[in-house]
Amino acid sequence: MKDIHIILGAPKTEEIRPLIKTEGIVIGVDRGALLAIEENLKIDVALGDFDSVSLHEKKMIEQSKAKVLNFPTDKDDTDAELAFEYALNHFDAKNIYVYNWYGGRIDHLYSILMIVLQKRFETLIPKLKYIATNNVIEYFLPGEYTIDKIKQMDYLSYILMTEVEGLTLKEVKYELIEEDFDQPLALISNEFLNKQASLAFKKGIIAAVQSRDKTE
Amino acid sequence: MKDIHIILGAPKTEEIRPLIKTEGIVIGVDRGALLAIEENLKIDVALGDFDSVSLHEKKMIEQSKAKVLNFPTDKDDTDAELAFEYALNHFDAKNIYVYNWYGGRIDHLYSILMIVLQKRFETLIPKLKYIATNNVIEYFLPGEYTIDKIKQMDYLSYILMTEVEGLTLKEVKYELIEEDFDQPLALISNEFLNKQASLAFKKGIIAAVQSRDKTE
Protein backbone atom coordinates (compact mmCIF):
# COMPACT_ATOMS: atom_id res chain seq x y z
CA MET A 1 0.00 0.00 0.00
CA LYS A 2 1.27 3.41 -0.99
CA ASP A 3 0.50 7.00 -0.19
CA ILE A 4 -0.87 8.87 -3.19
CA HIS A 5 -0.31 12.62 -3.53
CA ILE A 6 -2.68 14.45 -5.86
CA ILE A 7 -1.73 18.00 -6.81
CA LEU A 8 -4.65 19.97 -8.21
CA GLY A 9 -4.46 23.10 -10.35
CA ALA A 10 -6.02 25.88 -8.23
CA PRO A 11 -4.22 29.23 -8.55
CA LYS A 12 -1.16 28.75 -6.44
CA THR A 13 -1.28 30.54 -3.12
CA GLU A 14 1.16 28.41 -1.14
CA GLU A 15 4.13 26.09 -1.58
CA ILE A 16 3.11 22.48 -2.12
CA ARG A 17 6.46 20.84 -1.48
CA PRO A 18 6.67 21.50 2.29
CA LEU A 19 3.15 20.14 2.73
CA ILE A 20 4.16 16.72 1.35
CA LYS A 21 5.31 14.72 4.36
CA THR A 22 5.39 11.12 3.11
CA GLU A 23 6.91 9.19 0.22
CA GLY A 24 4.63 7.83 -2.45
CA ILE A 25 3.13 8.30 -5.89
CA VAL A 26 2.66 11.90 -7.06
CA ILE A 27 -0.14 12.68 -9.49
CA GLY A 28 -0.17 16.14 -11.06
CA VAL A 29 -3.57 17.16 -12.34
CA ASP A 30 -3.67 19.50 -15.33
CA ARG A 31 -2.01 22.79 -14.30
CA GLY A 32 -1.17 21.06 -10.99
CA ALA A 33 1.42 18.99 -12.89
CA LEU A 34 3.16 22.17 -14.01
CA LEU A 35 3.08 23.69 -10.53
CA ALA A 36 4.68 20.51 -9.16
CA ILE A 37 7.43 20.59 -11.78
CA GLU A 38 8.08 24.25 -11.01
CA GLU A 39 8.69 23.22 -7.39
CA ASN A 40 11.08 20.46 -8.51
CA LEU A 41 8.71 17.77 -7.34
CA LYS A 42 9.13 14.48 -9.16
CA ILE A 43 5.72 13.58 -10.55
CA ASP A 44 4.83 10.02 -11.56
CA VAL A 45 1.63 10.71 -13.45
CA ALA A 46 0.29 13.86 -15.12
CA LEU A 47 -3.33 13.82 -16.24
CA GLY A 48 -6.07 16.13 -17.42
CA ASP A 49 -7.27 17.90 -20.54
CA PHE A 50 -4.43 20.40 -20.11
CA ASP A 51 -6.58 23.27 -21.32
CA SER A 52 -5.14 25.38 -18.52
CA VAL A 53 -1.51 25.22 -19.71
CA SER A 54 0.20 26.70 -22.76
CA LEU A 55 1.81 24.56 -25.48
CA HIS A 56 5.20 25.40 -24.04
CA GLU A 57 4.10 24.42 -20.55
CA LYS A 58 2.58 21.19 -21.89
CA LYS A 59 5.98 20.37 -23.42
CA MET A 60 7.62 20.90 -20.01
CA ILE A 61 5.19 18.37 -18.54
CA GLU A 62 5.92 15.90 -21.37
CA GLN A 63 9.66 16.28 -20.88
CA SER A 64 9.39 15.43 -17.20
CA LYS A 65 9.60 11.74 -16.37
CA ALA A 66 5.87 11.61 -15.67
CA LYS A 67 3.52 9.28 -17.49
CA VAL A 68 1.23 11.74 -19.29
CA LEU A 69 -2.45 10.89 -19.78
CA ASN A 70 -4.45 13.19 -22.04
CA PHE A 71 -8.21 13.43 -21.72
CA PRO A 72 -10.63 15.26 -24.05
CA THR A 73 -11.86 18.70 -22.97
CA ASP A 74 -15.51 17.70 -23.34
CA LYS A 75 -15.38 14.94 -20.74
CA ASP A 76 -17.98 14.32 -18.06
CA ASP A 77 -15.52 14.08 -15.16
CA THR A 78 -13.72 17.04 -13.67
CA ASP A 79 -9.93 16.84 -13.53
CA ALA A 80 -10.13 16.01 -9.83
CA GLU A 81 -12.58 13.20 -10.52
CA LEU A 82 -10.24 11.83 -13.21
CA ALA A 83 -7.42 11.77 -10.66
CA PHE A 84 -9.57 10.03 -8.04
CA GLU A 85 -10.69 7.44 -10.61
CA TYR A 86 -7.08 6.87 -11.61
CA ALA A 87 -5.99 6.43 -7.99
CA LEU A 88 -8.89 4.06 -7.39
CA ASN A 89 -8.16 1.88 -10.42
CA HIS A 90 -4.36 1.75 -10.30
CA PHE A 91 -3.31 1.67 -6.67
CA ASP A 92 -4.19 0.12 -3.36
CA ALA A 93 -3.74 3.49 -1.69
CA LYS A 94 -2.92 3.80 1.98
CA ASN A 95 -3.66 7.54 2.16
CA ILE A 96 -4.68 9.95 -0.57
CA TYR A 97 -3.38 13.44 0.09
CA VAL A 98 -4.75 16.29 -2.01
CA TYR A 99 -2.95 19.63 -2.42
CA ASN A 100 -3.66 22.98 -4.05
CA TRP A 101 -7.42 22.53 -3.94
CA TYR A 102 -8.35 25.89 -2.38
CA GLY A 103 -8.47 29.43 -3.67
CA GLY A 104 -9.68 29.15 -7.23
CA ARG A 105 -13.10 28.74 -8.80
CA ILE A 106 -15.73 28.14 -6.13
CA ASP A 107 -17.62 25.68 -8.37
CA HIS A 108 -14.49 23.51 -8.57
CA LEU A 109 -14.11 23.74 -4.80
CA TYR A 110 -17.76 22.79 -4.25
CA SER A 111 -17.19 19.79 -6.50
CA ILE A 112 -14.01 18.76 -4.69
CA LEU A 113 -15.62 19.05 -1.24
CA MET A 114 -18.71 17.11 -2.39
CA ILE A 115 -16.77 14.33 -4.13
CA VAL A 116 -17.17 12.02 -1.12
CA LEU A 117 -20.95 11.99 -1.69
CA GLN A 118 -20.45 10.11 -4.98
CA LYS A 119 -21.04 6.39 -4.51
CA ARG A 120 -18.13 5.48 -6.82
CA PHE A 121 -15.63 7.17 -4.48
CA GLU A 122 -16.99 5.72 -1.23
CA THR A 123 -14.00 3.41 -0.67
CA LEU A 124 -11.67 6.42 -0.87
CA ILE A 125 -13.38 8.28 1.98
CA PRO A 126 -11.31 6.85 4.87
CA LYS A 127 -8.07 7.51 2.96
CA LEU A 128 -8.70 11.06 1.87
CA LYS A 129 -6.96 14.11 3.31
CA TYR A 130 -7.06 17.61 1.84
CA ILE A 131 -3.95 19.48 2.87
CA ALA A 132 -3.27 23.24 2.98
CA THR A 133 -1.29 25.52 5.25
CA ASN A 134 -4.27 26.75 7.24
CA ASN A 135 -6.86 24.09 6.49
CA VAL A 136 -6.77 20.28 6.67
CA ILE A 137 -9.79 18.06 5.98
CA GLU A 138 -10.25 14.35 6.70
CA TYR A 139 -13.37 12.35 5.89
CA PHE A 140 -15.02 9.61 7.92
CA LEU A 141 -17.53 6.80 7.46
CA PRO A 142 -19.49 5.54 10.51
CA GLY A 143 -17.33 4.15 13.31
CA GLU A 144 -15.26 5.23 16.30
CA TYR A 145 -12.16 7.35 15.83
CA THR A 146 -9.55 9.38 17.62
CA ILE A 147 -8.39 12.47 15.76
CA ASP A 148 -4.86 13.76 16.33
CA LYS A 149 -4.43 17.48 16.78
CA ILE A 150 -2.27 19.03 14.09
CA LYS A 151 0.27 21.44 15.51
CA GLN A 152 -0.75 25.11 15.40
CA MET A 153 -4.28 24.38 14.20
CA ASP A 154 -6.62 26.18 16.61
CA TYR A 155 -10.03 24.93 15.54
CA LEU A 156 -11.65 21.56 15.03
CA SER A 157 -14.89 21.52 13.07
CA TYR A 158 -17.14 18.66 12.07
CA ILE A 159 -18.98 19.02 8.79
CA LEU A 160 -21.94 16.66 8.58
CA MET A 161 -22.01 16.01 4.83
CA THR A 162 -25.24 14.01 5.08
CA GLU A 163 -27.83 13.27 7.72
CA VAL A 164 -25.98 11.77 10.67
CA GLU A 165 -27.11 9.42 13.43
CA GLY A 166 -25.68 8.88 16.88
CA LEU A 167 -23.00 11.57 16.80
CA THR A 168 -20.75 11.60 19.87
CA LEU A 169 -17.94 14.14 20.24
CA LYS A 170 -15.63 13.91 23.26
CA GLU A 171 -12.43 15.52 24.50
CA VAL A 172 -13.54 18.75 22.82
CA LYS A 173 -14.78 22.07 24.18
CA TYR A 174 -18.35 21.44 23.03
CA GLU A 175 -19.28 17.80 23.60
CA LEU A 176 -22.17 15.91 22.04
CA ILE A 177 -23.65 12.58 23.08
CA GLU A 178 -25.57 10.39 20.63
CA GLU A 179 -27.20 13.22 18.71
CA ASP A 180 -29.11 12.77 15.46
CA PHE A 181 -29.14 15.31 12.62
CA ASP A 182 -31.66 14.94 9.80
CA GLN A 183 -29.88 17.43 7.52
CA PRO A 184 -26.30 18.21 6.52
CA LEU A 185 -24.91 20.81 8.92
CA ALA A 186 -21.56 22.46 9.65
CA LEU A 187 -20.65 22.23 13.36
CA ILE A 188 -17.75 24.63 13.43
CA SER A 189 -15.24 26.22 15.80
CA ASN A 190 -15.00 23.38 18.28
CA GLU A 191 -11.57 22.95 19.94
CA PHE A 192 -9.34 20.13 21.16
CA LEU A 193 -9.00 19.87 24.95
CA ASN A 194 -6.06 17.48 24.62
CA LYS A 195 -3.88 16.17 21.82
CA GLN A 196 -6.61 13.85 20.63
CA ALA A 197 -10.35 14.20 20.20
CA SER A 198 -12.85 11.40 19.97
CA LEU A 199 -15.46 11.07 17.23
CA ALA A 200 -18.12 8.37 16.88
CA PHE A 201 -21.25 8.08 14.75
CA LYS A 202 -23.54 5.41 13.33
CA LYS A 203 -24.74 6.70 9.98
CA GLY A 204 -23.59 9.29 7.45
CA ILE A 205 -20.39 10.93 6.20
CA ILE A 206 -18.47 13.47 8.28
CA ALA A 207 -15.60 15.78 7.40
CA ALA A 208 -13.28 16.75 10.26
CA VAL A 209 -11.63 20.08 9.56
CA GLN A 210 -8.65 21.45 11.43
CA SER A 211 -7.99 25.09 10.70
CA ARG A 212 -6.43 28.28 11.91
CA ASP A 213 -6.93 31.93 11.17
CA LYS A 214 -4.70 32.96 8.34
CA THR A 215 -1.31 34.22 9.42
CA GLU A 216 -0.93 37.41 7.47
CA MET B 1 -37.86 46.56 0.40
CA LYS B 2 -34.18 47.19 0.64
CA ASP B 3 -30.99 45.55 -0.53
CA ILE B 4 -28.89 44.27 2.36
CA HIS B 5 -25.11 44.07 2.05
CA ILE B 6 -23.35 41.73 4.48
CA ILE B 7 -19.57 42.04 4.72
CA LEU B 8 -17.96 39.01 6.31
CA GLY B 9 -14.52 38.83 7.88
CA ALA B 10 -12.50 36.43 5.71
CA PRO B 11 -8.87 37.52 5.21
CA LYS B 12 -9.16 40.27 2.67
CA THR B 13 -8.04 39.31 -0.82
CA GLU B 14 -10.01 41.83 -2.86
CA GLU B 15 -11.63 45.25 -2.61
CA ILE B 16 -15.21 45.09 -1.38
CA ARG B 17 -16.30 48.58 -2.36
CA PRO B 18 -16.28 48.10 -6.16
CA LEU B 19 -18.33 44.90 -5.76
CA ILE B 20 -21.21 46.80 -4.11
CA LYS B 21 -23.47 47.91 -6.94
CA THR B 22 -26.70 48.92 -5.22
CA GLU B 23 -27.75 51.22 -2.39
CA GLY B 24 -29.01 49.69 0.83
CA ILE B 25 -28.24 48.65 4.36
CA VAL B 26 -24.61 47.62 5.05
CA ILE B 27 -23.96 45.09 7.83
CA GLY B 28 -20.32 44.58 8.86
CA VAL B 29 -19.74 41.25 10.56
CA ASP B 30 -16.95 41.10 13.13
CA ARG B 31 -13.66 41.85 11.35
CA GLY B 32 -15.78 42.56 8.23
CA ALA B 33 -16.95 45.78 9.93
CA LEU B 34 -13.36 46.93 10.23
CA LEU B 35 -12.54 46.04 6.62
CA ALA B 36 -15.55 48.05 5.48
CA ILE B 37 -14.51 51.08 7.52
CA GLU B 38 -10.97 50.81 6.10
CA GLU B 39 -12.53 51.08 2.64
CA ASN B 40 -14.54 54.13 3.70
CA LEU B 41 -17.78 52.26 3.38
CA LYS B 42 -20.58 53.62 5.56
CA ILE B 43 -21.83 50.72 7.66
CA ASP B 44 -25.23 50.77 9.33
CA VAL B 45 -24.81 47.80 11.65
CA ALA B 46 -21.71 46.10 13.05
CA LEU B 47 -22.22 42.77 14.79
CA GLY B 48 -20.30 39.79 16.09
CA ASP B 49 -18.25 38.73 19.08
CA PHE B 50 -15.38 40.91 17.78
CA ASP B 51 -12.79 38.38 18.92
CA SER B 52 -10.97 38.91 15.62
CA VAL B 53 -10.25 42.63 16.16
CA SER B 54 -7.96 44.41 18.60
CA LEU B 55 -9.25 46.83 21.27
CA HIS B 56 -8.05 49.73 19.15
CA GLU B 57 -9.84 48.35 16.10
CA LYS B 58 -12.99 47.78 18.15
CA LYS B 59 -12.90 51.45 19.13
CA MET B 60 -12.69 52.41 15.45
CA ILE B 61 -15.84 50.38 14.82
CA GLU B 62 -17.60 52.02 17.78
CA GLN B 63 -16.62 55.48 16.60
CA SER B 64 -18.14 54.87 13.18
CA LYS B 65 -21.83 55.71 12.90
CA ALA B 66 -22.77 52.03 12.91
CA LYS B 67 -25.13 50.52 15.44
CA VAL B 68 -22.84 48.05 17.23
CA LEU B 69 -24.26 44.76 18.50
CA ASN B 70 -22.00 42.67 20.73
CA PHE B 71 -22.51 38.93 21.04
CA PRO B 72 -20.76 36.58 23.48
CA THR B 73 -17.85 34.50 22.15
CA ASP B 74 -19.42 31.24 23.31
CA LYS B 75 -22.54 31.56 21.19
CA ASP B 76 -24.10 28.79 19.14
CA ASP B 77 -24.41 30.77 15.92
CA THR B 78 -21.49 31.68 13.70
CA ASP B 79 -21.00 35.36 12.91
CA ALA B 80 -22.50 34.79 9.46
CA GLU B 81 -25.54 33.11 11.00
CA LEU B 82 -25.97 36.07 13.38
CA ALA B 83 -25.96 38.43 10.40
CA PHE B 84 -28.50 36.34 8.51
CA GLU B 85 -30.75 36.17 11.59
CA TYR B 86 -30.46 39.94 11.98
CA ALA B 87 -31.33 40.55 8.33
CA LEU B 88 -34.27 38.16 8.62
CA ASN B 89 -35.70 39.78 11.76
CA HIS B 90 -35.14 43.46 10.96
CA PHE B 91 -35.68 43.97 7.25
CA ASP B 92 -37.92 42.95 4.42
CA ALA B 93 -34.88 42.42 2.23
CA LYS B 94 -35.09 42.60 -1.54
CA ASN B 95 -31.66 41.07 -2.13
CA ILE B 96 -29.03 39.97 0.35
CA TYR B 97 -25.54 40.39 -1.03
CA VAL B 98 -22.65 38.78 0.85
CA TYR B 99 -19.02 39.88 0.43
CA ASN B 100 -15.62 38.73 1.66
CA TRP B 101 -16.78 35.16 2.28
CA TYR B 102 -13.99 33.32 0.45
CA GLY B 103 -10.34 32.66 1.22
CA GLY B 104 -10.19 32.06 4.94
CA ARG B 105 -10.94 29.06 7.13
CA ILE B 106 -12.49 26.27 5.09
CA ASP B 107 -14.81 25.29 7.98
CA HIS B 108 -16.30 28.80 7.93
CA LEU B 109 -16.68 28.57 4.16
CA TYR B 110 -18.36 25.15 4.43
CA SER B 111 -20.76 26.67 6.96
CA ILE B 112 -21.48 29.69 4.77
CA LEU B 113 -22.11 27.57 1.67
CA MET B 114 -24.37 25.16 3.63
CA ILE B 115 -26.38 27.89 5.37
CA VAL B 116 -29.22 27.56 2.86
CA LEU B 117 -29.86 24.00 4.10
CA GLN B 118 -30.99 25.36 7.48
CA LYS B 119 -34.77 25.51 7.66
CA ARG B 120 -34.70 28.87 9.53
CA PHE B 121 -33.02 30.57 6.55
CA GLU B 122 -35.26 29.07 3.84
CA THR B 123 -37.04 32.36 3.11
CA LEU B 124 -33.67 34.02 2.44
CA ILE B 125 -32.71 31.55 -0.30
CA PRO B 126 -34.22 33.43 -3.27
CA LYS B 127 -32.64 36.69 -2.10
CA LEU B 128 -29.12 35.49 -1.45
CA LYS B 129 -26.12 36.32 -3.61
CA TYR B 130 -22.49 35.69 -2.67
CA ILE B 131 -20.29 38.16 -4.51
CA ALA B 132 -16.57 37.99 -5.28
CA THR B 133 -14.41 39.11 -8.18
CA ASN B 134 -14.13 35.67 -9.76
CA ASN B 135 -17.05 33.83 -8.17
CA VAL B 136 -20.73 34.69 -7.81
CA ILE B 137 -23.31 32.36 -6.28
CA GLU B 138 -27.11 32.60 -6.35
CA TYR B 139 -29.47 30.11 -4.70
CA PHE B 140 -32.79 28.80 -5.98
CA LEU B 141 -35.89 27.05 -4.66
CA PRO B 142 -38.04 24.98 -7.07
CA GLY B 143 -39.46 26.97 -9.98
CA GLU B 144 -38.57 28.28 -13.44
CA TYR B 145 -35.87 30.89 -13.86
CA THR B 146 -33.76 32.73 -16.37
CA ILE B 147 -30.22 33.46 -15.21
CA ASP B 148 -28.44 36.51 -16.58
CA LYS B 149 -24.84 36.07 -17.66
CA ILE B 150 -22.45 38.21 -15.65
CA LYS B 151 -19.91 39.96 -17.84
CA GLN B 152 -16.52 38.21 -18.09
CA MET B 153 -17.67 35.13 -16.18
CA ASP B 154 -16.80 32.14 -18.37
CA TYR B 155 -18.45 29.27 -16.51
CA LEU B 156 -21.91 28.48 -15.24
CA SER B 157 -22.18 25.64 -12.74
CA TYR B 158 -25.19 24.23 -10.97
CA ILE B 159 -24.60 22.85 -7.48
CA LEU B 160 -27.38 20.52 -6.40
CA MET B 161 -27.34 21.14 -2.65
CA THR B 162 -29.92 18.42 -2.01
CA GLU B 163 -31.59 15.68 -4.00
CA VAL B 164 -33.22 17.36 -6.99
CA GLU B 165 -36.21 16.35 -9.12
CA GLY B 166 -37.08 17.35 -12.67
CA LEU B 167 -33.98 19.39 -13.45
CA THR B 168 -34.08 21.09 -16.85
CA LEU B 169 -31.17 23.22 -18.08
CA LYS B 170 -31.51 25.04 -21.41
CA GLU B 171 -29.58 27.62 -23.43
CA VAL B 172 -26.38 26.13 -22.06
CA LYS B 173 -23.65 24.04 -23.65
CA TYR B 174 -24.71 20.88 -21.81
CA GLU B 175 -28.49 20.67 -21.64
CA LEU B 176 -30.57 18.50 -19.33
CA ILE B 177 -34.25 17.63 -19.59
CA GLU B 178 -36.27 16.60 -16.55
CA GLU B 179 -33.49 14.70 -14.80
CA ASP B 180 -33.71 13.43 -11.22
CA PHE B 181 -30.74 13.27 -8.82
CA ASP B 182 -31.06 11.34 -5.57
CA GLN B 183 -27.91 12.86 -4.03
CA PRO B 184 -26.30 16.31 -3.83
CA LEU B 185 -23.97 16.73 -6.81
CA ALA B 186 -21.88 19.51 -8.37
CA LEU B 187 -22.61 19.87 -12.10
CA ILE B 188 -19.78 22.16 -13.04
CA SER B 189 -18.22 23.91 -16.03
CA ASN B 190 -21.35 24.39 -18.08
CA GLU B 191 -21.43 27.55 -20.23
CA PHE B 192 -23.95 30.13 -21.42
CA LEU B 193 -24.83 29.96 -25.13
CA ASN B 194 -26.53 33.35 -24.99
CA LYS B 195 -26.89 36.15 -22.46
CA GLN B 196 -29.42 34.17 -20.46
CA ALA B 197 -29.72 30.55 -19.43
CA SER B 198 -32.84 28.77 -18.35
CA LEU B 199 -33.14 26.70 -15.16
CA ALA B 200 -36.17 24.76 -13.94
CA PHE B 201 -36.66 22.12 -11.26
CA LYS B 202 -39.41 20.67 -9.09
CA LYS B 203 -37.77 19.74 -5.81
CA GLY B 204 -34.59 20.66 -3.91
CA ILE B 205 -32.20 23.59 -3.53
CA ILE B 206 -29.77 24.60 -6.26
CA ALA B 207 -26.84 27.01 -6.27
CA ALA B 208 -25.99 28.63 -9.61
CA VAL B 209 -22.34 29.62 -9.71
CA GLN B 210 -20.80 31.94 -12.28
CA SER B 211 -17.04 31.91 -12.21
CA ARG B 212 -13.88 32.56 -14.13
CA ASP B 213 -10.32 31.40 -13.87
CA LYS B 214 -8.40 33.79 -11.65
CA THR B 215 -6.79 36.62 -13.50
CA GLU B 216 -3.26 36.58 -12.16
Side-chain angles (χ1 to χ4, degrees):
Chain A
M1 294 218 296
K2 285 176 171 171
D3 283 344
I4 311 289
H5 302 277
I6 295 177
I7 300 167
L8 298 179
K12 201 172 157 187
T13 54
E14 60 193 16
E15 299 292 310
I16 304 155
R17 175 185 267 284
L19 300 174
I20 297 185
K21 305 287 188 199
T22 70
E23 299 258 319
I25 303 291
V26 177
I27 302 175
V29 185
D30 213 270
R31 191 166 186 84
L34 183 73
L35 300 176
I37 291 168
E38 286 173 354
E39 280 195 43
N40 292 316
L41 270 158
K42 190 194 138 295
I43 49 174
D44 299 285
V45 180
L47 58 81
D49 57 24
F50 298 104
D51 63 348
S52 62
V53 302
S54 68
L55 278 178
H56 171 70
E57 290 167 339
K58 180 70 192 300
K59 199 162 274 179
M60 282 174 62
I61 294 168
E62 279 160 358
Q63 284 166 353
S64 77
K65 293 206 174 128
K67 177 174 172 181
V68 180
L69 300 166
N70 296 286
F71 288 84
T73 308
D74 271 11
K75 62 199 178 310
D76 276 345
D77 280 346
T78 63
D79 287 337
E81 285 166 341
L82 290 177
F84 280 57
E85 278 282 354
Y86 189 86
L88 197 60
N89 296 331
H90 291 79
F91 303 103
D92 183 19
K94 191 173 166 206
N95 299 290
I96 299 177
Y97 297 97
V98 182
Y99 309 86
N100 207 40
W101 45 275
Y102 190 26
R105 277 168 49 192
I106 190 74
D107 49 347
H108 267 292
L109 181 61
Y110 251 127
S111 172
I112 289 163
L113 296 176
M114 289 168 74
I115 234 166
V116 295
L117 298 176
Q118 294 183 44
K119 204 74 193 165
R120 59 176 166 158
F121 295 129
E122 192 176 20
T123 58
L124 296 185
I125 292 174
K127 305 176 175 185
L128 209 51
K129 287 160 187 61
Y130 293 167
I131 309 290
T133 310
N134 300 308
N135 294 291
V136 171
I137 311 177
E138 293 175 274
Y139 292 91
F140 295 92
L141 291 170
E144 294 181 20
Y145 307 94
T146 53
I147 295 176
D148 294 319
K149 185 178 186 313
I150 300 169
K151 223 171 138 182
Q152 296 186 314
M153 293 293 187
D154 301 318
Y155 302 100
L156 172 63
S157 299
Y158 293 104
I159 314 298
L160 318 184
M161 306 289 298
T162 59
E163 62 176 298
V164 163
E165 283 177 16
L167 178 63
T168 296
L169 306 178
K170 288 189 177 167
E171 293 183 79
V172 287
K173 193 168 173 191
Y174 307 101
E175 292 201 337
L176 283 185
I177 308 291
E178 288 278 343
E179 287 222 30
D180 295 337
F181 297 85
D182 60 3
Q183 282 275 309
L185 185 66
L187 304 172
I188 79 164
S189 295
N190 215 327
E191 290 172 37
F192 285 89
L193 294 182
N194 306 301
K195 292 205 167 158
Q196 289 190 320
S198 129
L199 163 71
F201 62 109
K202 291 180 180 136
K203 187 185 164 188
I205 301 172
I206 293 182
V209 180
Q210 294 193 51
S211 63
R212 58 179 174 176
D213 293 311
K214 204 160 184 165
T215 47
E216 289 182 276
Chain B
M1 295 219 296
K2 283 176 172 170
D3 283 345
I4 312 289
H5 302 278
I6 295 176
I7 300 167
L8 298 179
K12 201 174 158 188
T13 54
E14 61 193 14
E15 300 292 310
I16 303 155
R17 177 185 267 282
L19 300 174
I20 297 185
K21 304 288 188 196
T22 70
E23 299 260 316
I25 303 291
V26 176
I27 302 176
V29 185
D30 214 85
R31 192 167 187 82
L34 183 73
L35 300 177
I37 290 167
E38 286 173 353
E39 280 194 45
N40 292 316
L41 269 159
K42 190 194 139 294
I43 50 173
D44 298 285
V45 180
L47 58 82
D49 57 25
F50 298 104
D51 64 347
S52 63
V53 302
S54 69
L55 279 179
H56 171 70
E57 290 167 339
K58 181 69 194 301
K59 201 161 275 178
M60 281 173 63
I61 294 169
E62 279 159 357
Q63 285 167 351
S64 77
K65 295 206 172 124
K67 178 173 173 182
V68 180
L69 301 167
N70 296 286
F71 288 84
T73 307
D74 271 10
K75 60 195 179 313
D76 275 344
D77 280 345
T78 64
D79 288 337
E81 286 166 340
L82 291 179
F84 281 56
E85 278 283 354
Y86 189 86
L88 198 58
N89 296 330
H90 291 78
F91 303 103
D92 182 19
K94 191 173 166 206
N95 300 289
I96 298 175
Y97 296 98
V98 182
Y99 310 85
N100 206 40
W101 45 275
Y102 189 27
R105 279 168 50 193
I106 189 76
D107 49 348
H108 267 292
L109 181 62
Y110 252 127
S111 172
I112 289 163
L113 296 176
M114 289 168 73
I115 235 166
V116 295
L117 299 177
Q118 294 184 42
K119 203 75 192 161
R120 59 177 166 158
F121 295 129
E122 192 176 20
T123 58
L124 297 185
I125 293 175
K127 304 176 176 185
L128 209 51
K129 286 158 189 59
Y130 292 167
I131 310 290
T133 310
N134 300 308
N135 294 290
V136 171
I137 311 177
E138 293 174 274
Y139 292 92
F140 296 91
L141 290 170
E144 293 181 22
Y145 306 94
T146 53
I147 295 174
D148 293 319
K149 184 178 187 314
I150 300 169
K151 224 172 136 182
Q152 295 185 316
M153 293 293 189
D154 301 319
Y155 303 100
L156 172 63
S157 298
Y158 291 104
I159 314 298
L160 317 185
M161 306 289 298
T162 60
E163 64 176 299
V164 163
E165 283 177 16
L167 177 62
T168 296
L169 306 178
K170 287 188 179 168
E171 293 183 77
V172 287
K173 193 168 172 190
Y174 307 100
E175 293 200 334
L176 283 184
I177 307 292
E178 288 277 342
E179 287 223 29
D180 295 339
F181 297 85
D182 61 1
Q183 283 274 310
L185 184 66
L187 304 173
I188 80 163
S189 294
N190 214 326
E191 291 172 36
F192 285 88
L193 294 182
N194 307 299
K195 292 203 167 159
Q196 289 190 319
S198 130
L199 161 71
F201 62 109
K202 291 179 181 135
K203 188 185 165 189
I205 301 172
I206 294 182
V209 180
Q210 294 193 50
S211 64
R212 58 179 174 178
D213 293 311
K214 205 160 183 167
T215 48
E216 288 182 279

